[in-house]
Amino acid sequence: MNMYGYMGKLLFVDLTDRKIKELELKERDAKLFIGGSGLAARIIYNYLTADLSPFSPSNPIVFMTGPFTATSVPSGSRYSVSSLSAWGYWGESTSGGYFGAFLKRSGYDGIFVIGKSEKPVYLAISDNKAEIRSAEHLWGLDTYKTQEEVRKEFDKRARVACVGIAGENLVKFAAIMNDAGRAAGRTGMGAVMGSKKLKAIAAVGNRSVEVANEDALKATVEAVNAGSYMNITFNLLSRYGTLGYLELGALLGDVPARYYTKTVFPAEKVDSIALIEKYKTRKYACYNCPLGCGKIVKFGKMGVDEVDTPEYETVAAFGPLCENYDLDSIIYANHLCNAYGLDTITMGVSIAFMMYLSEKKVIEREERIEWGDKEKILSFIHMTAKREGIGNVLAEGVKGIAAKYKVSMDYAAQVKGLEIPMHDPRAFFGQALTYATSSRGACHLKPDWYMLDIGAGLAEIGLMPGEVEIGVNPGDRFNMSSRIQSFVTLQNFKELYDALILCKFSQATPFQILGMFNAITGFNFDIDTFLKAGERIINLKRLINIKRGMGRFDDKLPKIVTDALKHGPTSEKSPNVDEMLEEYYKVRKWIEGIPTKEKLTELELDFI
Amino acid sequence: MNMYGYMGKLLFVDLTDRKIKELELKERDAKLFIGGSGLAARIIYNYLTADLSPFSPSNPIVFMTGPFTATSVPSGSRYSVSSLSAWGYWGESTSGGYFGAFLKRSGYDGIFVIGKSEKPVYLAISDNKAEIRSAEHLWGLDTYKTQEEVRKEFDKRARVACVGIAGENLVKFAAIMNDAGRAAGRTGMGAVMGSKKLKAIAAVGNRSVEVANEDALKATVEAVNAGSYMNITFNLLSRYGTLGYLELGALLGDVPARYYTKTVFPAEKVDSIALIEKYKTRKYACYNCPLGCGKIVKFGKMGVDEVDTPEYETVAAFGPLCENYDLDSIIYANHLCNAYGLDTITMGVSIAFMMYLSEKKVIEREERIEWGDKEKILSFIHMTAKREGIGNVLAEGVKGIAAKYKVSMDYAAQVKGLEIPMHDPRAFFGQALTYATSSRGACHLKPDWYMLDIGAGLAEIGLMPGEVEIGVNPGDRFNMSSRIQSFVTLQNFKELYDALILCKFSQATPFQILGMFNAITGFNFDIDTFLKAGERIINLKRLINIKRGMGRFDDKLPKIVTDALKHGPTSEKSPNVDEMLEEYYKVRKWIEGIPTKEKLTELELDFI
């Protein structure tokens, strides 16, 4: 069936049997789960069992686009990858670049991969055709080289998503890389892909997406763009990239340093201006993105001419979190992670954890690493990707490190196996709730509450965040009382971004997003139906985590990131997660973290 | 008498008779008028008559330091120059660099200059000695060269304040320049200096300022610095310089373009990132300033190796206001103004006004200048400084231009003769009231209300502006109702900055400023006495303007800057100045703009 906004077909690939077939996308599923990680969750749910291992052939991995992909929606063409995470819970990650648009233009809304190949393979997709090809000659290549080789032998126009050595070696936080340096970094999707011996997926095609109402879409897209150009977040990201946040974040106490034990550090040494002053940079954008937060740095050192600029998260993780203020080493660390296919956040957090444990002398002298030891940071990255020596411990992330050194989980900066990213939960109490309740663990994006409460400032000077349209109001960042309903609404709303799929940096307002969705699909949703879809997806992912043995106990933050700090902008501040959770469950109609039957019925999830 | 915080002596110089003597600074005057432009107003008041011409020998010009100068107060060592403005009203300007500190360390709190020399002279001051020297060989030199020559022949360690060719030629907006590119730019103080044939003042010395309570001062200075390093304004100015505001300002509709007729323009072509990406820059700081907003640009063009970076005001005035988006020409225009000794704000506004009148065909074809004509902008600057051709009209500023072309004053962007700077009054209604009521005319600094209402945003994210301590709360930038008392309090408070003298970029809180003042002087003021001094100075300057024929009619803004714009962030917004004034006079206890006798008695100004 050909629906507006969708290609109407999914590619089903069984690597064990080397079988490929097409599955029809049902309109009912599209209406209930929209696309992206929403539809992926719907598909994956059926395959799950309580004891399925993430690296078992039976664990499916799903690459999805959404109704926005390859349309004229600005910043709307990311792709998502979902599966069980390397820790065995709900896993998902999205990535920008061009791969998502090219996958959809090849004729498929997504790819469902199951099984495991005996020998390395890659998948080549073009115009409603797909083929499993040998990747034996690509095994062991870095991600840049892999993309290059696949394009050379398959199709120069194709875009490629692939794993590097880290994915091959099942490093728990291996990333999937595409379009040179874009990453689906989190939850170890690269390890799952590697476990299937699937080195890469290449896609190219000329299929176009049919849109229900071209005029309405055009008008809304124009309004979105006009609004964006006068939007402060848009402009700052466009000019400075994500790293532009570091200075502001440091002043707010939002940038964790020294493994989350402080927030005061010399930000000027590693901020966006330091970068621009030190290197020549040029910007680049993802498919149909007017913002263009990406940058390429003219590096000219250590054998590397040009490199992808490190994002804010990466600089914070390899910088202040490790007490390392040497930009060269941060840029090179980022480059190594990209080439090996490693999540920079988890890599940085894991190294910082080793530094913290070294300081506490928990680790044997010969394995210790000192704060700011930039040479050792780089060698740890090499060793992790290759699982050599201490790298074999690092490759397990902070949970694995804590287990290895018999350290209390209070000090392992992770939630549900996913390492805590570079927004300190003491700086925005709502962000603490984000980490505690996000389906994939310590995710900083669903919802990105820190952005909302910074927006309180913008609201005061008349630059109102769009979220107020749906009753989500920015406010005091240290106070969530009577704001949990707002939180839940925003969480439902942000869940939709990964279904549509829309970049979190899109500055479209909620009603503009709904308008574009309706113009494309012709579904004619009202805002409540739209938000309900977000809520449905969250509940479904919750059910997946419950099936995997999770409960209320897993909705918690380790003490290392909630104990009040003595100094800096957040001194003496500590979010009370339990108190917020109490109210959160109430609003969600969950009992002890488990959705009630009534809620599931209301959400049309009663088939479960 | 030697008071704590003061040298206790003023230098009195009569250039007509070539007489120099010392005047004692009375403690009572110091307590009532603090220093800087406050004490200058007290001194000047006695000399004023209703028909005194600004360029008459009898018009005094007063260079002052304040109790903070040359102490450990961070960002506290500017100097001020006061006199009748080139338009005959109250005139004053301050400048940073080192000259202020050096003047005070030479042994004097200030210099009072009267009379007129027959031939060019300069004043050389060192360690309680002063000398009038011939400047015939310096006449005609630019300001950079003048400073260099004076230091060479008088004392290499000395710092020099001087005029350039513009001051010599009595250009109405001639500036006084010191420490290479620092400027006391506004109200034509350079023209008054030039009219006296006083080319320069050089000062050097080793006298130190005695402080009443060193320990208390040290503790407060440390607290100020600790607070500053976590302050967002401090950090942004320190990293980006004042130009860092351009991007944010553009998003708020605060940057006027095309002679105040629009606010939407390509900010990214002339913002701080464009500057940093295009040129190598290095920063520099004024005497004892931890912020250091100054920058030097490696230019390497047009015969200039290094130049002072243009400030935000300068870039806006020669950039968007003239629809000129060529950074090279803006930097060079700034350099020319510095070398000639011209106020960049008024120069830019005057050229933009010529462009506006050219478009309206009010000006003859051969004298017209088109929007963005960068070559002509530069040649107009040359001609203005030399008063050649059309430059002779430009040299009179917008009031003179309007008179020359018989255009309604509704279109002359000035208040009390002073051209409107680069904060659009439609973007912050309180800023409109600032322009209407400031003693020196359209001043953006007393108070810098736009900063306060941007601070509303900071307050919301928990970075509270210090002014709330004295009951001044940030709020809705388009609404001043019930905020006029706040405005008056802030205006009184900011008046103190130019008396102390403290840079407006100091991030010390009101009570920290009071604390430093008491620690230095031992006066032991409470906050009310302190604020009352600010109010006293404002009232005294008001009386000076009244004596010069001003009344309520002069507290007004031209239509060109208040008529609502059709597009951009401030579309349809128009401040109602008359309404605000009504309330303002009430709070000030002024009747039709004139202070009541009761108010003067309350302020101990009844000697007048």
Side-chain angles (χ1 to χ4, degrees), chain B residues 547-563:
Chain B
K547 203 163 176 177
R548 297 292 299 171
M550 285 215 164
R552 172 172 184 152
F553 184 79
D554 300 286
D555 293 344
K556 68 176 268 190
L557 262 61
K559 275 163 56 68
I560 188 86
V561 299
T562 55
D563 279 355

Side-chain angles (χ1 to χ4, degrees), chain A residues 290-358:
Chain A
L291 194 151
C293 66
K295 276 187 198 292
I296 297 286
V297 175
K298 185 94 190 157
F299 195 56
K301 291 174 201 176
M302 302 160 105
V304 184
D305 180 29
E306 285 196 329
V307 291
D308 288 276
T309 198
E311 303 288 332
Y312 161 72
E313 291 282 336
T314 309
V315 172
F318 287 120
L321 201 75
C322 291
E323 293 266 28
N324 171 29
Y325 302 104
D326 176 74
L327 260 183
D328 269 358
S329 70
I330 294 170
I331 292 172
Y332 193 68
N334 182 56
H335 176 70
L336 284 183
C337 287
N338 284 355
Y340 282 131
L342 283 166
D343 175 24
T344 56
I345 299 176
T346 294
M347 187 75 254
V349 173
S350 300
I351 293 175
F353 191 29
M354 292 293 284
M355 290 171 168
Y356 178 81
L357 295 178
S358 298

Side-chain angles (χ1 to χ4, degrees), chain A residues 22-35:
Chain A
E22 286 181 1
L23 301 175
E24 191 195 349
L25 174 62
K26 298 200 183 80
E27 184 175 311
R28 182 180 149 80
D29 280 338
K31 280 189 168 164
L32 288 176
F33 302 98
I34 312 295

Side-chain angles (χ1 to χ4, degrees), chain A residues 21 81 90 99 112 272 301 310 337 388 440 448 580 604:
Chain A
K21 60 181 179 183
V81 202
W90 172 255
F99 178 76
F112 179 96
S272 57
K301 291 174 201 176
C337 287
E388 284 173 2
R440 68 174 181 175
D448 42 359
M580 289 189 280
E604 302 177 61

